[in-house]
Amino acid sequence: MVSSSKTWLLSLGLVLLCMVRGSNGKVDHNNRVKAVNLGGWLVTEGWMKPSLFDGIPNKDFLDGTQLQLKSIKTGKYLSAESGGGSIIVANRSSSSGWETFRLWRLNECAFHLRVFGKQFVGVDHLNGVVAVSNSPGGSETFEIVRKSGDSKRVRIKAVNGFFLQAKTEEMVTADYAPGNGSGWGDDDPSVFVFNITGKLEGEFQVTNGYGPLKAPQVMREHWRSFIVESDFKFISENGLNAVRIPVGWWIASDPVPPHPFIGGSLATLDNAFLWAKKYGLKIIIDLHAAPGSQNGWEHSGSRDGTQEWGQTDNTIHQTVAVIEFLTSRYAQSPSLYAVELINEPLSPGVSLETVTKYYKAGYAAVRRHSSKAYVIFSNRLGPMEPLELFPFASGLSGSVIDVHYYNLFSEDFKKMSAQQNIDFVYTNRSAQLNLVTTSNGPLTFVGEWVAEWDVKGATKEDYQRFAKAQLDVYGRATFGWAYWALKNVNKHWSLQWKINNGYMKL
Ligand SMILES: *[C@@H]1O[C@H](CO)[C@@H](O)[C@H](O)[C@H]1NC(C)=O
Ligand SMILES: *[C@@H]1O[C@H](CO)[C@@H](O)[C@H](O)[C@H]1NC(C)=O
Ligand SMILES: *[C@@H]1O[C@H](CO)[C@@H](O)[C@H](O)[C@H]1NC(C)=O
Ligand SMILES: *[C@@H]1O[C@H](CO)[C@@H](O)[C@H](O)[C@H]1NC(C)=O
């Protein structure tokens, strides 16, 4: 009697659970996602593990590094006149966008230099230095020669064998041959002082930085050691039930992804599925890096910070194919819980129309292989309306909106005390989350947050209260939440460190 009524209750429970899980708008409370992001694993982010870049030769000059170059002789900055499409001059006394050159690295010595208007610096048939080409070739290739023992002085050598010189403020040419014993002196028109004003340390930078011989070894070692089976055990034993795994678009062409990406991330993701099954964890696959880059940040696999995803239908079709590939590969796994179609598309570069078009096609691609995987739509960052995806997402079963809440990256937070941060979570974040949590709309997911802030000198107790506030509030998200991230050299960004040191308990 007792046991049969228990069985009956259990089956009723399961039926209810299935009904709830199947309907749009609710996930059983106990089943909500409490996840951690496995960030910095299959998509590189240098700030999370700087040592990954340690062995790169000439590692100051990676793809996307922004250089400003001041002529020693004129005392003025090199500049792409009009921002590009014209000549290079050396007559600017202050530096900004037109005076900034973004590197494309060919190898540790040879580079292209991209200007504000996206053209590449090159040498014309009269040895004049211009920025007119949109597709860099030999004339757009330069060697950057550093003065030994001086971290800031460089000469730039063109393929004609001569060096760039600022002949006058308004005439920059590639026809200088420094004499033997030339001393890099202050009157030498071929000497420039450089400043680095921006850097990217993502997957493109690390793989292209090491180059085709060394990169496979370095990346495979990283994938093998950064996240291991015992981490899945740790996650399952510490109150979490899921992982969100950022992946890059190149994973779909494993084992031979396009240059400079390295094969092997797919086999690593396969391992994650095996471990998730063993430890009873759900997996959210998150396409973090889309072809062309959806936001220009290093974590989108960008080469030089330009945002080109969605500007052609081709990038959209290619991305849908990646989603289709991943869903079909893992649809039969009990661990595949959700597919996030793209992470943090940035407005206004990615328009609402573009992202909606992609989300429709991506949703259909997931549904061709899985009727039950949730499909997560990341809200755009930048100028946008938090409910802008609702008209389209509300009608789709198993749809989820992802919002990211960091008390960082804005002047507002720089001035806040610990208590003000905590109050902000309980009032403002709570209001923001309420706004997107509706009874008949998509489920809500706080897919990234961290118990780190701009507060200086916070105590352990401050940190504990800040984490608790966020858990209280984000615990109301109807789909769930995911901490960024499991591991990070910056300890407050590491959930593993937080748990092991008593800063957080779930
Ligand atoms: C720099 O030189 C260019 C080309 O002669 C000229 O058009 C421009 O006005 C100059 N700019 C400054 C700030 O002198
Ligand atoms: C510079 O030195 C190289 C070899 O050291 C020699 O072949 C060349 O003629 C010299 N050039 C000049 C301009 O002195
Ligand atoms: C480099 O940047 C620093 C800090 O912004 C500035 O003081 C310095 O003048 C710059 N030097 C050059 C050569 O641009
Ligand atoms: C947070 O919410 C309060 C109350 O609605 C509001 O006065 C304040 O401006 C908000 N703070 C920020 C930084 O948006």
Side-chain angles (χ1 to χ4, degrees):
M1 176 60 200
V2 172
S3 87
S4 78
S5 72
K6 255 194 191 154
T7 312
W8 184 84
L9 274 175
L10 191 65
S11 345
L12 180 69
L14 282 176
V15 168
L16 284 174
L17 199 68
C18 294
M19 285 167 57
V20 167
R21 166 96 155 73
S23 76
N24 200 18
K26 290 179 221 90
V27 167
D28 177 86
H29 210 281
N30 297 318
N31 212 24
R32 285 187 194 180
V33 165
K34 291 184 206 158
V36 63
N37 282 282
L38 303 184
W41 188 26
L42 303 184
V43 180
T44 295
E45 298 193 30
W47 71 285
M48 298 177 70
K49 184 184 168 182
S51 61
L52 194 54
F53 288 72
D54 282 353
I56 299 180
N58 200 8
K59 71 175 177 148
D60 284 343
F61 294 163
L62 298 178
D63 289 280
T65 295
Q66 299 179 23
L67 288 186
Q68 296 182 342
L69 295 153
K70 191 190 249 178
S71 160
I72 284 280
K73 186 170 167 233
T74 68
K76 301 278 176 73
Y77 289 96
L78 281 187
S79 177
E81 190 58 31
S82 306
S86 176
I87 58 172
I88 300 292
V89 289
N91 67 4
R92 294 307 201 292
S93 43
S94 65
S95 57
S96 173
W98 293 6
E99 291 73 40
T100 301
F101 300 86
R102 290 170 189 244
L103 295 182
W104 278 28
R105 175 170 165 134
L106 305 181
N107 56 52
E108 65 183 278
C109 308
F111 302 87
H112 301 312
L113 298 154
R114 202 175 198 189
V115 303
F116 183 83
K118 298 192 183 163
Q119 300 90 342
F120 293 87
V121 176
V123 178
D124 68 16
H125 62 288
L126 297 172
N127 288 335
V129 181
V130 295
V132 294
S133 170
N134 288 306
S135 51
S139 321
E140 287 76 34
T141 302
F142 299 94
E143 193 180 324
I144 301 179
V145 182
R146 296 174 80 154
K147 181 185 176 191
S148 66
D150 183 326
S151 55
K152 290 289 182 189
R153 292 199 173 197
V154 291
R155 284 196 175 107
I156 301 167
K157 190 179 190 181
V159 282
N160 64 11
F162 292 98
F163 290 85
L164 265 54
Q165 62 167 326
K167 265 189 180 145
T168 67
E169 289 196 2
E170 299 187 357
M171 187 182 274
V172 180
T173 53
D175 54 2
Y176 189 80
N180 286 354
S182 156
W184 294 81
D186 287 354
D187 57 348
D188 186 326
S190 71
V191 176
F192 298 89
V193 180
F194 76 89
N195 243 8
I196 291 178
T197 58
K199 297 181 75 121
L200 295 177
E201 288 183 336
E203 191 83 7
F204 201 106
Q205 287 69 35
V206 74
T207 53
N208 202 32
Y210 278 107
L213 295 179
K214 196 87 191 297
Q217 192 186 322
V218 172
M219 296 314 293
R220 284 171 198 157
E221 175 57 25
H222 169 63
W223 295 331
R224 198 186 60 70
S225 58
F226 187 62
I227 302 283
V228 296
E229 177 175 340
S230 59
D231 293 321
F232 279 69
K233 182 158 186 279
F234 174 88
I235 292 165
S236 70
E237 287 172 350
N238 281 282
L240 297 157
N241 59 18
V243 290
R244 177 174 180 258
I245 307 184
V247 301
W249 60 275
W250 52 87
I251 198 171
S253 34
D254 222 85
V256 277
H259 176 81
F261 300 109
I262 301 302
S265 62
L266 186 61
T268 313
L269 185 59
D270 288 347
N271 282 338
F273 271 88
L274 293 179
W275 299 333
K277 187 174 171 194
K278 181 162 170 188
Y279 296 102
L281 296 172
K282 311 177 212 292
I283 290 186
I284 298 162
I285 297 182
D286 153 41
L287 186 68
H288 220 68
S293 174
Q294 71 275 24
N295 53 36
W297 291 318
E298 65 185 15
H299 55 72
S300 67
S302 177
R303 178 170 201 172
D304 68 4
T306 9
Q307 179 191 4
E308 280 163 358
W309 180 85
Q311 285 172 13
T312 59
D313 280 350
N314 190 37
T315 53
I316 295 185
H317 294 154
Q318 208 183 338
T319 315
V320 172
V322 173
I323 294 298
E324 179 121 35
F325 169 84
L326 290 167
T327 316
S328 74
R329 186 174 184 91
Y330 299 113
Q332 302 313 315
S333 165
S335 304
L336 181 68
Y337 192 65
V339 179
E340 179 154 2
L341 299 180
I342 196 168
N343 179 65
E344 298 185 346
L346 182 63
S347 158
V350 175
S351 70
L352 179 59
E353 190 193 351
T354 299
V355 81
T356 309
K357 181 174 167 187
Y358 166 64
Y359 280 164
K360 281 184 181 150
Y363 180 87
V366 174
R367 284 288 168 264
R368 278 195 285 280
H369 302 279
S370 171
S371 57
K372 64 178 207 304
Y374 288 97
V375 183
I376 305 179
F377 307 119
S378 177
N379 255 354
R380 292 188 302 161
L381 299 194
M384 60 99 185
E385 218 305 300
L387 300 176
E388 65 184 17
L389 297 171
F390 278 51
F392 127 84
S394 299
L396 303 173
S397 90
S399 66
V400 181
I401 294 287
D402 181 13
V403 292
H404 295 174
Y405 292 152
Y406 289 106
N407 281 22
L408 290 160
F409 314 124
S410 138
E411 289 304 313
D412 290 340
F413 300 116
K414 293 213 164 72
K415 299 175 290 224
M416 285 188 192
S417 66
Q419 190 55 48
Q420 283 168 331
N421 270 281
I422 291 164
D423 293 343
F424 183 88
V425 169
Y426 280 120
T427 55
N428 306 57
R429 289 298 185 211
S430 182
Q432 289 168 3
L433 186 59
N434 282 343
L435 178 68
V436 292
T437 306
T438 57
S439 59
N440 55 357
L443 298 171
T444 50
F445 179 42
V446 182
E448 292 186 18
W449 64 277
V450 68
E452 178 58 308
W453 46 18
D454 286 326
V455 178
K456 298 279 173 286
T459 64
K460 182 169 181 176
E461 201 216 331
D462 290 334
Y463 272 111
Q464 287 168 329
R465 290 192 304 127
F466 184 45
K468 181 176 182 302
Q470 295 187 85
L471 288 167
D472 285 350
V473 172
Y474 309 157
R476 295 185 221 134
T478 50
F479 181 78
W481 52 258
Y483 193 89
W484 189 278
L486 183 65
K487 296 191 182 181
N488 194 316
V489 292
N490 304 284
K491 51 196 194 212
H492 289 289
W493 289 83
S494 161
L495 186 62
Q496 192 162 52
W497 183 88
K498 289 270 202 191
I499 290 173
N500 286 338
N501 290 277
Y503 279 73
M504 278 176 70
K505 194 168 177 352
L506 304 169

